[in-house]
Amino acid sequence: MKKVLLLVLLVLGVGLSVSQAQQIVFSGHVTEATTGQPVPFASIFVRGTSLGVTADENGQFRLTVNRSIDSLSAGAVGFKPLSRAVSKAPAQTINFALPGSSVSLGEVVVRAGENPAFAVLRKVQQHKKQNDKARLEAFEFNSYNRVEVSLSDVTDRLARQKVIRDMTSVAQGVGEMERNASGKPTVPVFASEVLSRYYVRHRPNREREEIKHSQLHGVAPRDGSVLSQVLGSSFQDYDFYPNWQIVMGKDFMSPIADGWRITYDYDLEDSVYVGQDRCYQLKVWPRRAQDLAFTGRIWITMNSYALRRVDLTVDPKANINFVDQIRVYQDLTPSAAGPWLPLRTRVVVGLKPTKKQTGLLVRFNTTNSGFDVEHPHEAKFYDQPFASATDALEVPAGFWEQHRPDTLTAQEVRTLTALDSVGKLRSVRSTLELADLLVTGYKQVGKFELGPVPSVFTYNNVEGGRIQAGFRTSGDLNPNWFVRTYVAYGTKDQDFKYGLTGYRVLNRRNWTLLGFERSHDVDQVALLDNGYATENPLFDAAVRFGNIKPGRPLWRQVTGVSAQSDLFHGFSQKITLRHQRFDPLYDFAYYTSADHEPGAPPRPTSLPCRR
């Protein structure tokens, strides 16, 4: 009995010590020792482990560890690494003042009178093929992507709106609001977090992304919408090895493009360590300010002349419509096969229609891990380029704290906390519901959607006042079934109309559907089988207003079934069996002889015309 008691006490003691060490939160500020200025994107890490985080552009960081440690280290390009002793307290503030550092340059051939940076760039070109991920037959990795959207430079007029006042009040209630590049506070609007597995195969070029988990914060579309499922890694693929990098729909020349010397000027600033890699630090800027080119710094490894890090911005003089700020920060890591893959990418985009209008500040943060190369899947695996797990939006409490690969800064924690509260504000929900109603035409009530609202009442010279009521099912009821139905009545023709359509999803991978339809309604020859009217409730209501006789109205009764499947990506095939009956409501006649020339005798239709 004593042995059992001792064993229980031992287990409890071990459990207690583990629970005590489960979570220690470190936060602080990384600055330059000589000037006190913040060191942006400094690395904070625990030596000998994979634990670490990157500071934000203001040098602020927040790191959560799940075990006891004795020291914490910080480092950045151009600075000596610094370690600080830590305690076992659950919350600690650790600040770092990094001293400057430099190392001697590696050996490169510099021609007399030539810019020494050119020698490094020539080496980059010589090794470009072996370092480019395009050389890989296939690669894949886990990806975590976080998107944050804020209002920037809010105008006085917009700030007086109730929904903005409520959002600002919530943001201020959790702490100091984030500021934009000009130092003005921003109002957080929306954020998303997505975990996915990203697959790429070359020759032929194919891609696939599988969304594992997704969560929206703040002023977000309702769960299940397309936007809530596609904010993944495939939308944040920045690659500087090709000659051109597409940014906001524009082709920007890469700093390591084949024609680098024509577009860019360079300055070899230093030789520093980035992590464990000794690198050349080069300053780059466009020869002509109006060119679509980048300004900033790139780091090239000394041993393989690979692109190790980029920190680039776009000059506002590049004149991209409505864009006043773009910054791209990226770290790369070598794969097992040699070519380098993106490890961490941060992008900041500022959007502003005019100087006097409210702008948007959008931040993208992508962290990749679990790299696997040269193991391509069968070609049919990539036929569906995007797939989302059926339970992707079902995220349990505390999930992101355990599975988020980076640690949020104190400001990011405040932002997400504020957004979770913003999303519950009545003014925000009302605004979202109104916007959703205007776009989709339907009002969600439980697991059903009532509408389309624009068609509740219309008036035309054939039906008179048309009163309609209907609904459709949502994915909450059954994700594999979709049904839409309505009934209507005309005050002039005094007839009832109805419609029922639906489909059953048999296979999501190839999007295989079985559909059915049954309707009895007034239609127009000019709009027969117009799918746009079905998908756009505003259009459907508009074409039923006023004088519809020029569109040749007719009674139409339809019964049909259909089958549809994607044979391969971008190619769908559909087979439909349909029985239709038309009763024209306009003057209708047909020829009684083989002579169809003008003046040939017609015969009035024998079809039973309705009122």
Side-chain angles (χ1 to χ4, degrees):
M1 184 65 181
K2 290 181 179 179
K3 292 183 179 180
V4 174
L5 182 58
L6 288 172
L7 180 60
V8 172
L9 290 174
L10 178 61
V11 172
L12 290 176
V14 172
L16 181 60
S17 65
V18 171
S19 64
Q20 288 176 338
Q22 273 186 343
Q23 194 170 86
I24 303 177
V25 180
F26 299 98
S27 59
H29 194 199
V30 184
T31 59
E32 298 183 24
T34 55
T35 65
Q37 294 296 315
V39 179
F41 306 115
S43 298
I44 296 85
F45 56 94
V46 180
R47 289 188 182 275
T49 73
S50 59
L51 301 175
V53 69
T54 301
D56 62 16
E57 60 265 36
N58 299 314
Q60 301 281 352
F61 72 90
R62 186 174 185 271
L63 173 64
T64 302
V65 300
N66 296 321
R67 60 185 178 187
S68 179
I69 61 174
D70 57 9
S71 65
L72 192 64
S73 301
V77 292
F79 298 90
K80 291 180 180 179
L82 185 64
S83 297
R84 295 282 307 275
V86 299
S87 66
K88 296 183 179 180
Q92 303 175 48
T93 299
I94 308 295
N95 295 319
F96 294 91
L98 301 183
S101 172
S102 64
V103 297
S104 59
L105 293 176
E107 181 179 350
V108 294
V109 177
V110 180
R111 297 169 184 169
E114 183 186 49
N115 184 338
F118 291 176
V120 177
L121 267 298
R122 283 197 300 269
K123 287 285 189 178
V124 171
Q125 296 300 315
Q126 294 171 12
H127 293 78
K128 191 174 179 180
K129 186 175 181 180
Q130 72 185 48
N131 293 321
D132 188 356
K133 66 182 182 182
R135 184 170 68 86
L136 296 171
E137 183 179 357
F139 61 86
E140 60 187 78
F141 50 77
N142 297 322
S143 184
Y144 165 79
N145 190 64
R146 183 171 64 251
V147 179
E148 302 169 30
V149 180
S150 303
L151 293 177
S152 178
D153 297 323
V154 179
T155 62
D156 293 339
R157 180 178 179 182
L158 183 61
R160 289 193 293 268
Q161 300 295 320
K162 177 174 174 51
V163 64
I164 301 300
R165 293 202 315 268
D166 291 346
M167 292 167 60
T168 303
S169 177
V170 168
Q172 292 174 338
V174 299
E176 184 180 358
M177 298 171 64
E178 189 172 6
R179 298 180 179 273
N180 58 17
S182 60
K184 297 181 179 180
T186 61
V187 180
V189 175
F190 164 80
S192 70
E193 295 185 273
V194 177
L195 274 179
S196 65
R197 184 73 176 174
Y198 188 50
Y199 305 85
V200 175
R201 179 175 177 174
H202 295 135
R203 295 170 293 277
N205 293 333
R206 307 292 295 276
E207 297 181 6
R208 175 182 172 87
E209 184 170 17
E210 297 176 350
I211 304 297
K212 306 296 184 183
H213 296 280
S214 175
Q215 185 170 356
L216 307 179
H217 307 266
V219 187
R222 65 178 182 232
D223 290 348
S225 68
V226 174
L227 178 62
S228 69
Q229 300 180 48
V230 302
L231 292 168
S233 177
S234 57
F235 291 84
Q236 311 302 329
D237 186 20
Y238 287 87
D239 183 6
F240 292 91
Y241 275 92
N243 290 333
W244 301 95
Q245 169 66 59
I246 299 178
V247 178
M248 304 297 292
K250 300 284 187 178
D251 289 328
F252 281 73
M253 178 167 278
S254 168
I256 59 171
D258 295 342
W260 53 274
R261 196 166 179 175
I262 299 175
T263 304
Y264 286 97
D265 273 329
Y266 302 82
D267 184 16
L268 181 56
E269 293 185 321
D270 206 345
S271 179
V272 298
Y273 278 97
V274 179
Q276 302 299 319
D277 299 304
R278 193 177 176 187
C279 299
Y280 296 106
Q281 178 179 305
L282 281 75
K283 183 178 180 180
V284 303
W285 66 96
R287 288 178 175 269
R288 294 166 295 277
Q290 68 274 17
D291 284 353
L292 295 180
F294 298 97
T295 300
R297 288 172 176 80
I298 60 176
W299 288 262
I300 307 297
T301 60
M302 289 186 177
N303 57 350
S304 60
Y305 292 92
L307 195 60
R308 175 61 176 84
R309 173 178 288 176
V310 302
D311 187 359
L312 302 170
T313 61
V314 172
D315 194 310
K317 295 180 181 178
N319 194 25
I320 304 178
N321 291 339
F322 309 130
V323 176
D324 66 351
Q325 176 190 2
I326 296 179
R327 181 176 182 178
V328 181
Y329 174 92
Q330 186 177 69
D331 274 326
L332 296 97
T333 186
S335 66
W340 291 61
L341 295 172
L343 178 64
R344 184 182 299 106
T345 304
R346 295 188 177 193
V347 180
V348 179
V349 178
L351 304 173
K352 200 169 185 181
T354 67
K355 291 183 178 181
K356 296 183 178 180
Q357 289 183 303
T358 300
L360 279 180
L361 188 63
V362 187
R363 300 177 185 272
F364 303 90
N365 292 272
T366 303
T367 303
N368 301 324
S369 60
F371 296 95
D372 186 24
V373 298
E374 304 299 40
H375 294 108
H377 297 267
E378 295 183 3
K380 63 180 182 181
F381 173 80
Y382 303 91
D383 286 346
Q384 186 178 2
F386 172 82
S388 179
T390 56
D391 60 348
L393 294 169
E394 299 173 6
V395 181
F399 174 85
W400 294 109
E401 286 74 10
Q402 298 177 18
H403 296 85
R404 190 183 288 124
D406 66 346
T407 302
L408 298 179
T409 65
Q411 181 60 64
E412 289 170 335
V413 171
R414 288 195 293 268
T415 297
L416 293 183
T417 301
L419 287 175
D420 287 336
S421 299
V422 163
K424 300 174 183 177
L425 290 173
R426 184 173 181 178
S427 59
V428 170
R429 300 316 307 172
S430 299
T431 302
L432 285 176
E433 289 173 2
L434 177 60
D436 191 57
L437 183 63
L438 293 175
V439 173
T440 68
Y442 285 83
K443 165 69 174 178
Q444 186 166 11
V445 178
K447 297 181 179 181
F448 296 89
E449 298 176 359
L450 304 182
V453 175
S455 298
V456 169
F457 181 81
T458 55
Y459 182 87
N460 60 72
N461 55 357
V462 173
E463 299 175 274
R466 176 186 169 103
I467 304 169
Q468 179 175 311
F471 70 89
R472 67 184 184 186
T473 60
S474 69
D476 295 336
L477 183 64
N478 190 315
N480 294 322
W481 273 100
F482 174 82
V483 177
R484 175 170 50 211
T485 186
Y486 70 88
V487 293
Y489 180 78
T491 59
K492 182 177 181 179
D493 60 10
Q494 298 183 354
D495 273 308
F496 283 96
K497 298 93 176 174
Y498 63 86
L500 174 67
T501 60
Y503 60 80
R504 170 79 162 87
V505 180
L506 300 181
N507 188 317
R508 290 184 176 275
R509 184 182 182 89
N510 297 318
W511 199 241
T512 302
L513 312 175
L514 283 182
F516 60 89
E517 59 180 328
R518 171 71 178 178
S519 66
H520 177 72
D521 203 345
V522 173
D523 209 333
Q524 300 177 55
V525 173
L527 299 172
L528 290 180
D529 295 323
N530 189 328
Y532 184 74
T534 304
E535 300 302 326
N536 192 316
L538 288 175
F539 178 82
D540 185 44
V543 297
R544 292 187 181 277
F545 264 106
N547 181 12
I548 66 172
K549 289 185 177 180
R552 297 189 175 185
L554 73 165
W555 276 93
R556 185 188 186 202
Q557 184 171 296
V558 180
T559 304
V561 294
S562 62
Q564 173 184 325
S565 184
D566 292 347
L567 299 184
F568 50 85
H569 178 52
F571 185 86
S572 297
Q573 185 165 322
K574 184 176 183 179
I575 299 175
T576 301
L577 297 177
R578 177 184 286 171
H579 178 271
Q580 302 186 72
R581 176 183 174 84
F582 300 93
D583 293 343
L585 296 174
Y586 59 93
D587 293 335
F588 179 83
Y590 61 92
Y591 293 107
T592 58
S593 67
D595 183 11
H596 294 175
E597 297 297 324
R603 179 178 177 181
T605 178
S606 61
L607 294 175
C609 295
R610 307 292 292 262
R611 290 188 298 273

